[in-house]
Amino acid sequence: SPLPLPRQVCMSSSCYNTSTSVWVPITEGTTPPSRFNTSTPTTDTAKTSVASPFRVSTLNVLADIFPKPVEMVIQSPLRRQNHLEIIEKLDATILGLNEVTITILTQLLGSPFIQQNYYVSEAAVVSGGGTTSHVDGNTGAGSAMTTKPNGTFGPHGCLLLSKIPFQELWVVDTTRDDRKNARDAVVGVFKVSDVSGEKDGGEYFAVASQHTLAYQNEINYLKRKTQIANICDFMVSHLEKKKAGGHATTPKFVLMGDLNMHYLSEDGFVVDNNLVDLWAETNYDATTNTFPVGYTYDSQTNGMVSHYVPGENRRMRLDRILCTPALLSTFSVQAPCAMWATDAVDEGRCVWPSDHYGLTIDLTTTTPSPAKEYTLNPAVRTLLEANAKIPREKPTYNMWKFAGAMPYHVWFLGKKAIGY
C-alpha cells in the first residue's frame, strides 16, 4: 500500500457572515453562520438539506498568472467575470475548481451569490485585516491580499465550494517527497443527511478536488498514477474510520478535477482504484457499445486552446468525475454526466472561460436508503479495461507544431496589442 503521506492536514472551512460582512472560519465545535443569512444562525438552519438535484461539478478555470503575451490571448479579467456568471447559472451543490489563484479566489469571494450559498475550503484575507470583497479587473490586482489561512494553493490550487457544511476539510499532499511538483488535493467530508434531509444516520461521504501533473510523458504518467492512488487511499482509509450504527461504513467518495489523463491507457487508473467513471457509465450507448469521447480539452471546438498553446492540435479527456460504487448505492444518477463552461465568452476574440470544459452530474438520494449495492455496468468496465491495455500514444503535439504556428501567432498577438 502507498506510504504515509507527508502532509495530511485538517483545515477549517469558511462561511460568509452577513452580520459582519466577512468570511469567517468554521472551527470544530462551533456552529457555522447560516448560508441563509440569518443574523442569529442555528444548527438547524445551517444544516438544512439542499434541494434536488444534488449537483456535483468540476472545472479547471485556467490560472491568471501568465506572462503578458499569454494574458493578451486568454483575457483573464474577462474570463474571471464570466466565471461568476456561469457558476451562478450552474448552481452546483458541490463545486470543485482547479488552478484557482489568489486573484480568482478574491473575486469569487466577492460574489453575492457565492456569499449567500456556499461554504468554501479557502479564504483570502486582506493584509490589514478583514476579508476581501472584490478585486479590480487587472491581473495581479489584490496582491496585498496574500494571506491564505489554509495555504491550500500557491501560486494556484484546488478550491471546493459547497452548499452543505463541511464536517471535515483536509488538504492532502499526494506527491510524497516531490514537493517541487506538489499538487495538494482538497478533500471535504460531508454527512449524507445534510443532502437527504433524513434523520442523521451517521453516514459520511467525501469529495476531493484534485489537479494532477500534466504533460504527455512516461515520468508524469507514473506520477499521475501515484497521485490518484494516494488520494483514493487517503479517502478509503479515512472514511473507514467513520462509524454508522456501530459499524464501519463502506467508503463513499467522489474524486473529480483535471486529472490530466493524457493517454487512453490512463483509464486503467479508474479500474485499478475500483472507481466508476461517471461520464462513461452514464453516457454509455448499448446499441453501439461505446460512450461519447467526451473531450474536455479540445483544440477543435475551443477556439482559445490553439491560441493559448500555439499549434496545439490535441483532443483529450483530461477531466473526470469518478466515484466509488458504494456512493451510487446512496445517491442515484438523476441525469447523465454532462459538460459545462463550453460557450465562448467572446468568440470573435477567441476567448473561452478556460482551455478546459467542465463536467457536472446530477444525483439524488436513493430511496429507500440504504439501497442495494450498485453494480458496475460490465460493458463499460470492459471498454475501460481494453483502453488500459492500449500502448501509450506518441504525442501529436511537438516543437515542430509550435514553431510552425509562430508566424500566425505573432500576427494574432499583434492584433491583440492594438486592441482586437
Side-chain angles (χ1 to χ4, degrees):
S1 62
L3 296 172
L5 302 177
R7 188 167 186 252
Q8 300 176 0
V9 184
C10 191
M11 300 293 188
S12 297
S13 60
S14 295
C15 182
Y16 192 72
N17 188 329
T18 55
S19 63
T20 58
S21 298
V22 295
W23 287 89
V24 294
I26 302 168
T27 56
E28 186 175 359
T30 63
T31 301
S34 170
R35 63 185 176 87
F36 299 106
N37 294 327
T38 57
S39 57
T40 55
T42 66
T43 300
D44 290 339
T45 58
K47 297 185 178 182
T48 299
S49 62
V50 297
S52 186
F54 173 44
R55 180 167 294 159
V56 180
S57 312
T58 182
L59 175 66
N60 179 330
V61 296
L62 182 60
D64 56 357
I65 52 174
F66 296 101
K68 184 67 174 179
V70 177
E71 286 295 334
M72 289 170 62
V73 173
I74 66 175
Q75 298 288 304
S76 290
L78 188 62
R79 292 188 305 106
R80 286 197 301 263
Q81 183 58 44
N82 176 260
H83 293 159
L84 300 181
E85 296 168 4
I86 61 176
I87 286 173
E88 182 170 353
K89 182 178 180 181
L90 177 72
D91 197 23
T93 310
I94 299 179
L95 173 62
L97 301 177
N98 306 131
E99 292 199 23
V100 177
T101 65
I102 188 68
T103 311
I104 294 172
L105 176 64
T106 50
Q107 188 143 2
L108 290 170
L109 295 180
S111 161
F113 174 75
I114 290 175
Q115 291 171 355
Q116 294 167 16
N117 287 277
Y118 289 102
Y119 300 92
V120 297
S121 62
E122 185 61 277
V125 178
V126 180
S127 55
T131 306
T132 63
S133 59
H134 254 292
V135 292
D136 63 35
N138 298 314
T139 299
S143 58
M145 298 169 267
T146 55
T147 302
K148 295 161 285 185
N150 287 345
T152 48
F153 56 84
H156 61 74
C158 299
L159 180 72
L160 280 175
L161 302 92
S162 174
K163 289 188 175 184
I164 56 176
F166 293 85
Q167 298 302 310
E168 295 176 10
L169 175 64
W170 293 83
V171 56
V172 181
D173 170 15
T174 59
T175 57
R176 297 188 191 153
D177 57 351
D178 186 13
R179 289 305 298 168
K180 179 181 178 182
N181 293 306
R183 291 284 181 90
D184 291 343
V186 177
V187 180
V189 179
F190 306 93
K191 281 188 174 181
V192 171
S193 59
D194 284 338
V195 179
S196 66
E198 298 175 356
K199 182 179 179 181
D200 183 8
E203 196 173 14
Y204 295 85
F205 68 99
V207 178
S209 178
Q210 185 175 37
H211 185 196
T212 66
L213 287 175
Y215 303 124
Q216 203 166 350
N217 59 57
E218 182 70 15
I219 292 175
N220 285 16
Y221 163 84
L222 294 173
K223 287 182 177 179
R224 287 193 291 273
K225 183 176 183 178
T226 298
Q227 289 174 330
I228 292 170
N230 280 342
I231 194 61
C232 290
D233 180 71
F234 170 80
M235 288 191 283
V236 167
S237 61
H238 188 68
L239 289 172
E240 282 178 344
K241 299 173 186 176
K242 298 290 184 183
K243 303 294 182 179
H247 301 283
T249 61
T250 303
K252 300 175 175 66
F253 66 78
V254 174
L255 170 59
M256 62 183 180
D258 177 7
L259 302 184
N260 270 311
M261 292 185 176
H262 287 64
Y263 299 103
L264 277 174
S265 62
E266 291 183 80
D267 281 349
F269 301 168
V270 179
V271 177
D272 293 344
N273 292 286
N274 191 33
L275 298 175
V276 182
D277 184 323
L278 286 169
W279 174 269
E281 190 83 0
T282 64
N283 288 286
Y284 174 74
D285 184 347
T287 60
T288 60
N289 191 34
T290 59
F291 54 84
V293 286
Y295 298 127
T296 59
Y297 180 88
D298 193 339
S299 62
Q300 293 187 23
T301 63
N302 185 324
M304 191 170 73
V305 171
S306 61
H307 294 92
Y308 162 55
V309 184
E312 176 65 283
N313 63 343
R314 292 174 296 178
R315 311 176 78 190
M316 298 176 286
R317 194 161 72 98
L318 301 182
D319 305 77
R320 307 289 175 100
I321 301 181
L322 312 174
C323 72
T324 54
L327 184 102
L328 295 180
S329 297
T330 300
F331 302 108
S332 57
V333 175
Q334 185 171 345
C337 189
M339 291 188 190
W340 70 287
T342 56
D343 294 335
V345 179
D346 187 334
E347 190 168 3
R349 298 165 68 188
C350 299
V351 179
W352 263 252
S354 172
D355 56 335
H356 289 244
Y357 297 142
L359 291 175
T360 184
I361 187 164
D362 287 355
L363 306 172
T364 188
T365 307
T366 303
T367 302
S369 181
K372 64 180 181 180
E373 185 176 350
Y374 180 82
T375 302
L376 293 168
N377 185 328
V380 173
R381 205 65 170 178
T382 298
L383 291 173
L384 296 176
E385 290 171 347
N387 286 346
K389 298 175 183 177
I390 295 175
R392 287 188 281 285
E393 311 93 288
K394 292 183 179 180
T396 58
Y397 179 72
N398 50 45
M399 290 305 296
W400 292 110
K401 293 281 186 183
F402 176 84
M406 284 311 293
Y408 168 80
H409 191 64
V410 170
W411 172 80
F412 183 79
L413 287 179
K415 290 175 64 179
K416 291 286 186 181
I418 61 175
Y420 169 74

